[in-house]
Short mmCIF file of all heavy atoms in Angstrom, two decimals:
data_model
loop_
_atom_site.label_atom_id
_atom_site.label_comp_id
_atom_site.label_asym_id
_atom_site.label_seq_id
_atom_site.Cartn_x
_atom_site.Cartn_y
_atom_site.Cartn_z
N MET A 1 57.85 -72.64 -63.32
CA MET A 1 58.66 -73.09 -62.28
C MET A 1 57.83 -73.22 -60.93
O MET A 1 57.86 -72.48 -60.09
CB MET A 1 59.77 -72.09 -62.00
CG MET A 1 60.83 -72.60 -61.16
SD MET A 1 62.14 -71.34 -60.82
CE MET A 1 61.97 -71.20 -59.04
N GLU A 2 57.03 -74.37 -60.95
CA GLU A 2 56.22 -74.54 -59.81
C GLU A 2 56.38 -76.03 -59.27
O GLU A 2 55.56 -76.81 -59.58
CB GLU A 2 54.65 -74.27 -60.12
CG GLU A 2 54.42 -72.84 -60.13
CD GLU A 2 52.96 -72.57 -60.58
OE1 GLU A 2 52.54 -73.12 -61.49
OE2 GLU A 2 52.36 -71.72 -59.83
N PRO A 3 57.46 -76.35 -58.67
CA PRO A 3 57.73 -77.66 -58.32
C PRO A 3 56.71 -78.23 -57.26
O PRO A 3 56.63 -79.40 -57.14
CB PRO A 3 59.09 -77.65 -57.75
CG PRO A 3 59.31 -76.26 -57.36
CD PRO A 3 58.52 -75.42 -58.22
N LEU A 4 56.08 -77.39 -56.56
CA LEU A 4 55.15 -77.82 -55.55
C LEU A 4 53.69 -77.90 -55.96
O LEU A 4 52.87 -78.20 -55.12
CB LEU A 4 55.26 -76.92 -54.26
CG LEU A 4 56.69 -76.83 -53.65
CD1 LEU A 4 56.65 -75.86 -52.49
CD2 LEU A 4 57.04 -78.21 -53.17
N THR A 5 53.49 -77.59 -57.15
CA THR A 5 52.12 -77.63 -57.62
C THR A 5 51.35 -78.90 -57.37
O THR A 5 50.20 -78.84 -57.07
CB THR A 5 52.05 -77.30 -59.17
OG1 THR A 5 52.67 -76.09 -59.37
CG2 THR A 5 50.59 -77.43 -59.70
N HIS A 6 52.06 -80.00 -57.55
CA HIS A 6 51.26 -81.35 -57.36
C HIS A 6 51.75 -81.93 -56.07
O HIS A 6 51.52 -83.19 -55.97
CB HIS A 6 51.67 -82.19 -58.52
CG HIS A 6 51.32 -81.68 -59.88
ND1 HIS A 6 49.92 -81.54 -60.23
CD2 HIS A 6 51.98 -81.19 -60.97
CE1 HIS A 6 49.91 -81.06 -61.41
NE2 HIS A 6 51.00 -80.78 -61.91
N LEU A 7 52.17 -81.24 -55.23
CA LEU A 7 52.41 -81.88 -53.88
C LEU A 7 51.23 -81.75 -52.96
O LEU A 7 50.48 -80.75 -52.98
CB LEU A 7 53.52 -80.98 -53.27
CG LEU A 7 54.21 -81.51 -51.95
CD1 LEU A 7 54.88 -82.90 -52.32
CD2 LEU A 7 55.19 -80.60 -51.39
N PHE A 8 51.01 -82.93 -52.34
CA PHE A 8 49.76 -82.95 -51.40
C PHE A 8 50.27 -83.26 -50.01
O PHE A 8 51.39 -83.71 -49.85
CB PHE A 8 48.80 -83.95 -51.92
CG PHE A 8 48.14 -83.60 -53.20
CD1 PHE A 8 48.63 -83.90 -54.43
CD2 PHE A 8 47.04 -82.92 -53.19
CE1 PHE A 8 48.15 -83.56 -55.59
CE2 PHE A 8 46.37 -82.60 -54.48
CZ PHE A 8 46.99 -82.88 -55.59
N LYS A 9 49.36 -83.03 -49.11
CA LYS A 9 49.72 -83.26 -47.77
C LYS A 9 48.60 -84.12 -47.10
O LYS A 9 47.42 -83.77 -47.23
CB LYS A 9 49.85 -81.97 -47.03
CG LYS A 9 50.49 -82.10 -45.66
CD LYS A 9 50.55 -80.74 -44.99
CE LYS A 9 51.30 -80.87 -43.69
NZ LYS A 9 51.43 -79.50 -43.01
N CYS A 10 49.07 -85.16 -46.41
CA CYS A 10 48.11 -86.05 -45.76
C CYS A 10 47.32 -85.24 -44.59
O CYS A 10 48.08 -84.64 -43.87
CB CYS A 10 48.81 -87.23 -45.15
SG CYS A 10 47.79 -88.35 -44.22
N THR A 11 46.09 -85.48 -44.49
CA THR A 11 45.32 -84.72 -43.55
C THR A 11 45.48 -85.57 -42.13
O THR A 11 45.04 -85.05 -41.14
CB THR A 11 43.89 -84.51 -43.91
OG1 THR A 11 43.35 -85.86 -44.17
CG2 THR A 11 43.70 -83.77 -45.12
N VAL A 12 45.99 -86.77 -42.31
CA VAL A 12 45.95 -87.61 -41.08
C VAL A 12 47.46 -87.51 -40.40
O VAL A 12 47.47 -87.11 -39.27
CB VAL A 12 45.68 -89.04 -41.38
CG1 VAL A 12 45.69 -89.92 -40.08
CG2 VAL A 12 44.21 -89.12 -42.03
N CYS A 13 48.34 -87.89 -41.16
CA CYS A 13 49.69 -87.98 -40.59
C CYS A 13 50.62 -86.69 -41.02
O CYS A 13 51.72 -86.55 -40.61
CB CYS A 13 50.35 -89.21 -40.96
SG CYS A 13 50.91 -89.37 -42.68
N HIS A 14 50.02 -85.90 -41.92
CA HIS A 14 50.66 -84.67 -42.33
C HIS A 14 51.92 -84.92 -43.04
O HIS A 14 52.81 -84.06 -43.12
CB HIS A 14 50.93 -83.74 -41.13
CG HIS A 14 49.68 -83.39 -40.36
ND1 HIS A 14 48.67 -82.61 -40.92
CD2 HIS A 14 49.29 -83.82 -39.17
CE1 HIS A 14 47.76 -82.51 -39.91
NE2 HIS A 14 48.11 -83.19 -38.90
N GLU A 15 52.01 -86.06 -43.75
CA GLU A 15 53.15 -86.37 -44.61
C GLU A 15 52.88 -85.81 -45.93
O GLU A 15 51.81 -85.83 -46.39
CB GLU A 15 53.23 -87.95 -44.68
CG GLU A 15 54.43 -88.37 -45.46
CD GLU A 15 55.66 -88.57 -44.66
OE1 GLU A 15 55.67 -88.03 -43.59
OE2 GLU A 15 56.57 -89.12 -45.28
N TYR A 16 53.96 -85.21 -46.55
CA TYR A 16 53.82 -84.71 -47.84
C TYR A 16 53.96 -85.80 -48.97
O TYR A 16 54.73 -86.79 -48.72
CB TYR A 16 54.92 -83.67 -48.21
CG TYR A 16 54.67 -82.36 -47.45
CD1 TYR A 16 55.31 -82.11 -46.22
CD2 TYR A 16 53.88 -81.41 -48.10
CE1 TYR A 16 55.01 -80.88 -45.67
CE2 TYR A 16 53.60 -80.23 -47.50
CZ TYR A 16 54.22 -80.02 -46.30
OH TYR A 16 53.86 -78.76 -45.64
N THR A 17 53.08 -85.78 -49.82
CA THR A 17 53.09 -86.89 -50.92
C THR A 17 52.65 -86.38 -52.23
O THR A 17 52.10 -85.26 -52.41
CB THR A 17 52.09 -87.92 -50.48
OG1 THR A 17 51.95 -88.95 -51.49
CG2 THR A 17 50.66 -87.44 -50.24
N LEU A 18 53.12 -87.12 -53.30
CA LEU A 18 52.63 -86.77 -54.62
C LEU A 18 51.34 -87.49 -55.00
O LEU A 18 50.84 -87.11 -56.09
CB LEU A 18 53.83 -87.13 -55.54
CG LEU A 18 55.12 -86.37 -55.43
CD1 LEU A 18 56.21 -86.91 -56.38
CD2 LEU A 18 54.92 -84.93 -55.78
N GLU A 19 50.90 -88.34 -54.16
CA GLU A 19 49.69 -89.03 -54.34
C GLU A 19 48.45 -88.06 -54.11
O GLU A 19 48.44 -87.41 -53.19
CB GLU A 19 49.57 -90.19 -53.40
CG GLU A 19 50.66 -91.23 -53.59
CD GLU A 19 50.62 -91.96 -55.04
OE1 GLU A 19 49.52 -92.06 -55.53
OE2 GLU A 19 51.69 -92.39 -55.53
N GLU A 20 47.58 -87.99 -55.09
CA GLU A 20 46.49 -87.08 -54.84
C GLU A 20 45.25 -87.82 -54.34
O GLU A 20 44.21 -87.12 -54.00
CB GLU A 20 46.19 -86.39 -56.17
CG GLU A 20 45.70 -87.28 -57.35
CD GLU A 20 45.45 -86.58 -58.54
OE1 GLU A 20 46.21 -85.55 -58.80
OE2 GLU A 20 44.55 -86.95 -59.32
N ASP A 21 45.35 -89.16 -54.23
CA ASP A 21 44.13 -89.88 -53.75
C ASP A 21 44.11 -90.12 -52.26
O ASP A 21 43.32 -89.81 -51.51
CB ASP A 21 44.03 -91.23 -54.53
CG ASP A 21 43.63 -91.09 -55.98
OD1 ASP A 21 42.95 -90.03 -56.30
OD2 ASP A 21 43.99 -91.81 -56.79
N ARG A 22 45.24 -90.83 -51.95
CA ARG A 22 45.45 -91.11 -50.51
C ARG A 22 46.86 -91.14 -50.15
O ARG A 22 47.73 -91.42 -50.92
CB ARG A 22 44.71 -92.38 -50.06
CG ARG A 22 45.30 -93.50 -50.75
CD ARG A 22 44.67 -94.86 -50.14
NE ARG A 22 43.44 -95.13 -50.71
CZ ARG A 22 42.93 -96.36 -50.75
NH1 ARG A 22 43.59 -97.29 -50.14
NH2 ARG A 22 41.67 -96.54 -51.26
N CYS A 23 47.14 -90.96 -48.89
CA CYS A 23 48.51 -91.01 -48.35
C CYS A 23 49.06 -92.45 -48.46
O CYS A 23 48.42 -93.40 -47.98
CB CYS A 23 48.46 -90.62 -46.84
SG CYS A 23 50.05 -90.73 -46.06
N PRO A 24 50.26 -92.47 -49.06
CA PRO A 24 50.85 -93.87 -49.28
C PRO A 24 51.38 -94.42 -47.92
O PRO A 24 51.66 -95.57 -47.72
CB PRO A 24 52.01 -93.61 -50.20
CG PRO A 24 52.32 -92.17 -50.07
CD PRO A 24 50.97 -91.38 -49.72
N ARG A 25 51.47 -93.55 -46.96
CA ARG A 25 51.95 -93.93 -45.73
C ARG A 25 50.96 -94.47 -44.75
O ARG A 25 51.12 -95.56 -44.17
CB ARG A 25 52.64 -92.74 -45.11
CG ARG A 25 53.48 -93.08 -43.78
CD ARG A 25 53.93 -91.78 -43.26
NE ARG A 25 54.72 -91.94 -42.01
CZ ARG A 25 55.15 -90.89 -41.18
NH1 ARG A 25 54.83 -89.65 -41.60
NH2 ARG A 25 55.87 -91.16 -40.13
N CYS A 26 49.79 -93.80 -44.61
CA CYS A 26 48.87 -94.20 -43.64
C CYS A 26 47.46 -94.45 -44.34
O CYS A 26 46.51 -94.80 -43.62
CB CYS A 26 48.71 -93.26 -42.54
SG CYS A 26 47.80 -91.57 -43.04
N GLY A 27 47.33 -94.14 -45.58
CA GLY A 27 46.08 -94.38 -46.25
C GLY A 27 45.06 -93.27 -46.04
O GLY A 27 43.88 -93.37 -46.49
N GLY A 28 45.47 -92.29 -45.40
CA GLY A 28 44.55 -91.10 -45.05
C GLY A 28 44.20 -90.34 -46.30
O GLY A 28 45.01 -90.36 -47.28
N SER A 29 43.30 -89.50 -46.21
CA SER A 29 42.99 -88.61 -47.34
C SER A 29 43.98 -87.46 -47.40
O SER A 29 44.50 -87.01 -46.40
CB SER A 29 41.62 -88.02 -47.30
OG SER A 29 41.38 -87.37 -46.13
N VAL A 30 44.27 -87.08 -48.63
CA VAL A 30 45.26 -85.94 -48.68
C VAL A 30 44.52 -84.62 -49.19
O VAL A 30 43.52 -84.72 -49.88
CB VAL A 30 46.37 -86.35 -49.69
CG1 VAL A 30 47.17 -87.57 -49.22
CG2 VAL A 30 45.77 -86.61 -51.11
N ALA A 31 45.14 -83.60 -49.01
CA ALA A 31 44.68 -82.22 -49.42
C ALA A 31 45.92 -81.45 -49.84
O ALA A 31 46.98 -81.63 -49.43
CB ALA A 31 43.90 -81.63 -48.37
N SER A 32 45.54 -80.49 -50.67
CA SER A 32 46.69 -79.58 -51.16
C SER A 32 47.19 -78.73 -49.94
O SER A 32 46.27 -78.14 -49.33
CB SER A 32 46.28 -78.74 -52.26
OG SER A 32 47.27 -77.75 -52.56
N PRO A 33 48.39 -78.70 -49.64
CA PRO A 33 48.84 -77.89 -48.56
C PRO A 33 48.69 -76.36 -48.91
O PRO A 33 48.69 -75.51 -48.07
CB PRO A 33 50.31 -78.21 -48.42
CG PRO A 33 50.68 -78.75 -49.71
CD PRO A 33 49.51 -79.44 -50.32
N TYR A 34 48.50 -76.10 -50.25
CA TYR A 34 48.25 -74.83 -50.73
C TYR A 34 46.91 -74.82 -51.34
O TYR A 34 46.82 -74.79 -52.54
CB TYR A 34 49.40 -74.24 -51.71
CG TYR A 34 50.70 -74.53 -51.09
CD1 TYR A 34 51.47 -75.66 -51.56
CD2 TYR A 34 51.28 -73.73 -50.10
CE1 TYR A 34 52.72 -75.81 -51.05
CE2 TYR A 34 52.39 -73.94 -49.59
CZ TYR A 34 53.20 -74.98 -50.10
OH TYR A 34 54.43 -75.26 -49.63
N PRO A 35 45.79 -74.62 -50.66
CA PRO A 35 44.42 -74.75 -51.26
C PRO A 35 44.26 -73.65 -52.28
O PRO A 35 43.60 -74.04 -53.34
CB PRO A 35 43.58 -74.57 -50.01
CG PRO A 35 44.41 -74.08 -48.97
CD PRO A 35 45.85 -74.46 -49.26
N ALA A 36 44.76 -72.59 -51.99
CA ALA A 36 44.54 -71.55 -53.13
C ALA A 36 45.88 -71.06 -53.71
O ALA A 36 46.72 -70.55 -52.98
CB ALA A 36 43.82 -70.30 -52.40
N LYS A 37 45.94 -71.38 -54.89
CA LYS A 37 47.05 -70.82 -55.63
C LYS A 37 47.19 -69.27 -55.49
O LYS A 37 48.18 -68.68 -55.58
CB LYS A 37 47.00 -71.17 -57.11
CG LYS A 37 48.15 -71.95 -57.69
CD LYS A 37 47.84 -72.24 -59.15
CE LYS A 37 49.12 -72.64 -59.95
NZ LYS A 37 48.82 -72.85 -61.34
N PHE A 38 45.95 -68.74 -55.36
CA PHE A 38 45.69 -67.34 -55.28
C PHE A 38 46.48 -66.71 -53.97
O PHE A 38 46.76 -65.66 -54.00
CB PHE A 38 44.26 -66.98 -55.11
CG PHE A 38 43.47 -67.82 -56.04
CD1 PHE A 38 43.14 -69.17 -55.63
CD2 PHE A 38 42.96 -67.47 -57.32
CE1 PHE A 38 42.34 -69.93 -56.47
CE2 PHE A 38 42.18 -68.20 -58.06
CZ PHE A 38 41.82 -69.43 -57.67
N SER A 39 46.53 -67.50 -52.94
CA SER A 39 46.98 -66.93 -51.72
C SER A 39 48.43 -66.27 -51.95
O SER A 39 48.56 -65.27 -51.33
CB SER A 39 47.09 -68.06 -50.67
OG SER A 39 48.07 -68.94 -51.03
N LEU A 40 49.26 -66.81 -52.72
CA LEU A 40 50.50 -66.27 -52.94
C LEU A 40 50.28 -64.87 -53.71
O LEU A 40 50.86 -63.90 -53.30
CB LEU A 40 51.31 -67.21 -53.86
CG LEU A 40 52.83 -66.92 -53.86
CD1 LEU A 40 53.46 -67.07 -52.53
CD2 LEU A 40 53.47 -67.84 -54.90
N GLN A 41 49.39 -64.93 -54.80
CA GLN A 41 49.17 -63.79 -55.44
C GLN A 41 48.59 -62.56 -54.57
O GLN A 41 48.94 -61.46 -54.66
CB GLN A 41 48.29 -63.99 -56.66
CG GLN A 41 48.92 -64.91 -57.73
CD GLN A 41 48.02 -65.19 -58.68
OE1 GLN A 41 46.76 -65.16 -58.61
NE2 GLN A 41 48.51 -65.68 -59.91
N ASP A 42 47.62 -63.13 -53.80
CA ASP A 42 47.11 -62.23 -52.82
C ASP A 42 48.10 -61.47 -51.87
O ASP A 42 48.03 -60.31 -51.55
CB ASP A 42 46.05 -62.96 -51.86
CG ASP A 42 44.63 -62.95 -52.43
OD1 ASP A 42 44.55 -62.38 -53.54
OD2 ASP A 42 43.86 -63.29 -51.74
N LYS A 43 49.01 -62.31 -51.46
CA LYS A 43 50.09 -61.84 -50.52
C LYS A 43 50.93 -60.74 -51.32
O LYS A 43 51.06 -59.67 -50.72
CB LYS A 43 51.04 -62.99 -50.19
CG LYS A 43 51.63 -62.76 -48.86
CD LYS A 43 52.37 -63.98 -48.36
CE LYS A 43 51.62 -64.97 -47.53
NZ LYS A 43 52.50 -66.13 -47.11
N TYR A 44 51.24 -61.07 -52.48
CA TYR A 44 51.93 -60.05 -53.24
C TYR A 44 51.07 -58.79 -53.56
O TYR A 44 51.52 -57.66 -53.56
CB TYR A 44 52.31 -60.66 -54.65
CG TYR A 44 53.53 -61.43 -54.52
CD1 TYR A 44 53.56 -62.82 -54.96
CD2 TYR A 44 54.73 -60.95 -54.15
CE1 TYR A 44 54.73 -63.58 -54.75
CE2 TYR A 44 55.88 -61.75 -53.95
CZ TYR A 44 55.88 -63.01 -54.25
OH TYR A 44 56.95 -63.91 -54.09
N GLY A 45 49.75 -59.09 -53.80
CA GLY A 45 48.83 -57.98 -54.09
C GLY A 45 48.76 -57.03 -52.87
O GLY A 45 48.82 -55.81 -52.92
N GLU A 46 48.66 -57.69 -51.65
CA GLU A 46 48.58 -56.83 -50.47
C GLU A 46 49.90 -56.12 -50.24
O GLU A 46 49.84 -55.08 -49.80
CB GLU A 46 48.37 -57.84 -49.22
CG GLU A 46 48.03 -57.03 -47.98
CD GLU A 46 47.75 -57.95 -46.88
OE1 GLU A 46 47.35 -59.21 -47.11
OE2 GLU A 46 47.92 -57.64 -45.72
N TYR A 47 50.98 -56.79 -50.57
CA TYR A 47 52.25 -56.11 -50.46
C TYR A 47 52.35 -54.94 -51.34
O TYR A 47 52.75 -53.90 -50.91
CB TYR A 47 53.47 -57.09 -50.65
CG TYR A 47 54.74 -56.49 -50.63
CD1 TYR A 47 55.38 -56.21 -49.55
CD2 TYR A 47 55.39 -56.15 -51.92
CE1 TYR A 47 56.55 -55.61 -49.45
CE2 TYR A 47 56.60 -55.49 -51.80
CZ TYR A 47 57.28 -55.27 -50.72
OH TYR A 47 58.47 -54.66 -50.65
N ARG A 48 51.88 -55.10 -52.43
CA ARG A 48 51.89 -54.09 -53.41
C ARG A 48 50.99 -52.88 -52.96
O ARG A 48 51.38 -51.74 -53.05
CB ARG A 48 51.48 -54.55 -54.83
CG ARG A 48 52.52 -54.16 -55.97
CD ARG A 48 52.10 -54.74 -57.23
NE ARG A 48 51.78 -56.17 -57.02
CZ ARG A 48 51.18 -57.01 -57.99
NH1 ARG A 48 51.02 -56.45 -59.17
NH2 ARG A 48 51.02 -58.21 -57.80
N ARG A 49 49.74 -53.25 -52.52
CA ARG A 49 48.95 -52.21 -52.08
C ARG A 49 49.54 -51.46 -50.98
O ARG A 49 49.43 -50.25 -50.86
CB ARG A 49 47.51 -52.85 -51.65
CG ARG A 49 46.60 -53.03 -52.83
CD ARG A 49 45.25 -53.33 -52.35
NE ARG A 49 45.20 -54.63 -51.51
CZ ARG A 49 44.98 -55.82 -51.97
NH1 ARG A 49 44.89 -55.98 -53.28
NH2 ARG A 49 44.88 -56.87 -51.19
N ARG A 50 50.17 -52.19 -50.10
CA ARG A 50 50.70 -51.53 -48.94
C ARG A 50 51.86 -50.65 -49.37
O ARG A 50 51.97 -49.46 -48.88
CB ARG A 50 51.22 -52.66 -47.94
CG ARG A 50 51.19 -52.16 -46.48
CD ARG A 50 51.52 -53.30 -45.63
NE ARG A 50 50.62 -54.32 -45.44
CZ ARG A 50 50.79 -55.58 -44.82
NH1 ARG A 50 51.86 -55.79 -44.43
NH2 ARG A 50 49.78 -56.34 -44.68
N ALA A 51 52.61 -51.10 -50.18
CA ALA A 51 53.72 -50.28 -50.71
C ALA A 51 53.18 -49.04 -51.44
O ALA A 51 53.79 -47.91 -51.17
CB ALA A 51 54.61 -51.13 -51.65
N LYS A 52 52.13 -49.27 -52.23
CA LYS A 52 51.63 -48.09 -52.91
C LYS A 52 51.11 -46.98 -51.84
O LYS A 52 51.33 -45.85 -51.97
CB LYS A 52 50.45 -48.55 -53.60
CG LYS A 52 50.17 -47.70 -54.95
CD LYS A 52 49.11 -48.39 -55.78
CE LYS A 52 48.89 -47.75 -57.07
NZ LYS A 52 47.99 -48.42 -57.97
N ARG A 53 50.34 -47.63 -50.84
CA ARG A 53 49.80 -46.61 -49.83
C ARG A 53 50.97 -45.90 -49.12
O ARG A 53 50.87 -44.61 -48.86
CB ARG A 53 49.02 -47.48 -48.78
CG ARG A 53 48.00 -46.61 -48.05
CD ARG A 53 47.33 -47.55 -47.04
NE ARG A 53 46.62 -48.63 -47.78
CZ ARG A 53 46.30 -49.91 -47.17
NH1 ARG A 53 46.66 -50.08 -45.95
NH2 ARG A 53 45.72 -50.78 -47.87
N LYS A 54 52.03 -46.59 -48.83
CA LYS A 54 53.16 -46.00 -48.16
C LYS A 54 53.73 -44.84 -48.94
O LYS A 54 54.05 -43.74 -48.57
CB LYS A 54 54.24 -47.15 -47.95
CG LYS A 54 55.15 -46.67 -46.84
CD LYS A 54 56.16 -47.92 -46.53
CE LYS A 54 57.08 -47.61 -45.36
NZ LYS A 54 57.97 -48.75 -45.10
N LEU A 55 53.89 -45.29 -50.38
CA LEU A 55 54.40 -44.27 -51.24
C LEU A 55 53.45 -42.90 -51.27
O LEU A 55 54.05 -41.92 -51.23
CB LEU A 55 54.46 -44.91 -52.62
CG LEU A 55 55.31 -44.26 -53.72
CD1 LEU A 55 56.79 -44.51 -53.28
CD2 LEU A 55 55.13 -44.84 -55.04
N ARG A 56 52.19 -43.19 -51.25
CA ARG A 56 51.26 -42.09 -51.39
C ARG A 56 51.37 -41.32 -50.08
O ARG A 56 51.34 -40.04 -50.16
CB ARG A 56 49.89 -42.62 -51.51
CG ARG A 56 48.90 -41.55 -52.08
CD ARG A 56 47.45 -42.11 -52.18
NE ARG A 56 47.51 -43.17 -53.20
CZ ARG A 56 46.53 -44.03 -53.34
NH1 ARG A 56 45.55 -44.11 -52.38
NH2 ARG A 56 46.57 -44.98 -54.24
N MET A 57 51.58 -41.91 -48.99
CA MET A 57 51.60 -41.11 -47.81
C MET A 57 52.84 -40.25 -47.69
O MET A 57 52.83 -39.13 -47.26
CB MET A 57 51.67 -42.16 -46.53
CG MET A 57 50.23 -42.52 -46.00
SD MET A 57 50.39 -43.88 -44.80
CE MET A 57 51.12 -43.04 -43.56
N SER A 58 53.92 -40.80 -48.16
CA SER A 58 55.12 -40.04 -48.09
C SER A 58 55.19 -38.92 -49.22
O SER A 58 55.83 -37.86 -49.06
CB SER A 58 56.41 -40.95 -48.41
OG SER A 58 56.24 -41.48 -49.67
N ALA A 59 54.30 -39.08 -50.19
CA ALA A 59 54.18 -37.99 -51.23
C ALA A 59 53.28 -36.91 -50.77
O ALA A 59 53.58 -35.72 -51.14
CB ALA A 59 53.55 -38.67 -52.46
N ASP A 60 52.38 -37.19 -49.79
CA ASP A 60 51.50 -36.07 -49.41
C ASP A 60 52.19 -35.13 -48.50
O ASP A 60 52.93 -35.36 -47.58
CB ASP A 60 50.30 -36.68 -48.64
CG ASP A 60 49.29 -37.31 -49.68
OD1 ASP A 60 49.45 -36.93 -50.83
OD2 ASP A 60 48.45 -38.01 -49.28
ZN1 ZN Q 101 49.18 -90.10 -43.94
#
C-alpha cells in the first residue's frame, strides 16, 4: 500500500507528477519528494527509541 511511491515532484514549478523524466507542465526536471524511503522508517525508529527511553526512565 504505497500509492505515492512513483510520485515525483517538479523541482521548478513544484508540481506533482507521475512522470519521472521531466515535468509535463513546465519541462523542468523532477525529483522524488521523498528522497529516502528510509526517512519514514527512521521516524518510526526514532519514535520507538524515544518511547523505549521513556519507558526505561519511568521504570527506574
Ligand atoms: Zn514543472
Side-chain angles (χ1 to χ4, degrees):
M1 198 183 114
E2 287 180 310
L4 299 181
T5 298
H6 298 294
L7 190 66
F8 292 88
K9 191 176 181 185
C10 176
T11 57
V12 179
C13 71
H14 304 292
E15 180 87 349
Y16 285 95
T17 175
L18 293 174
E19 300 292 331
E20 61 181 35
D21 291 330
R22 65 169 80 159
C23 173
R25 186 182 180 191
C26 74
S29 59
V30 298
S32 172
Y34 311 103
K37 232 176 166 184
F38 320 79
S39 64
L40 193 68
Q41 294 176 338
D42 265 6
K43 211 176 263 181
Y44 279 121
E46 191 178 333
Y47 174 77
R48 229 174 315 173
R49 276 194 298 273
R50 211 174 281 170
K52 208 173 189 178
R53 204 177 301 152
K54 203 173 179 183
L55 198 71
R56 198 179 296 159
M57 272 171 68
S58 62
D60 281 348

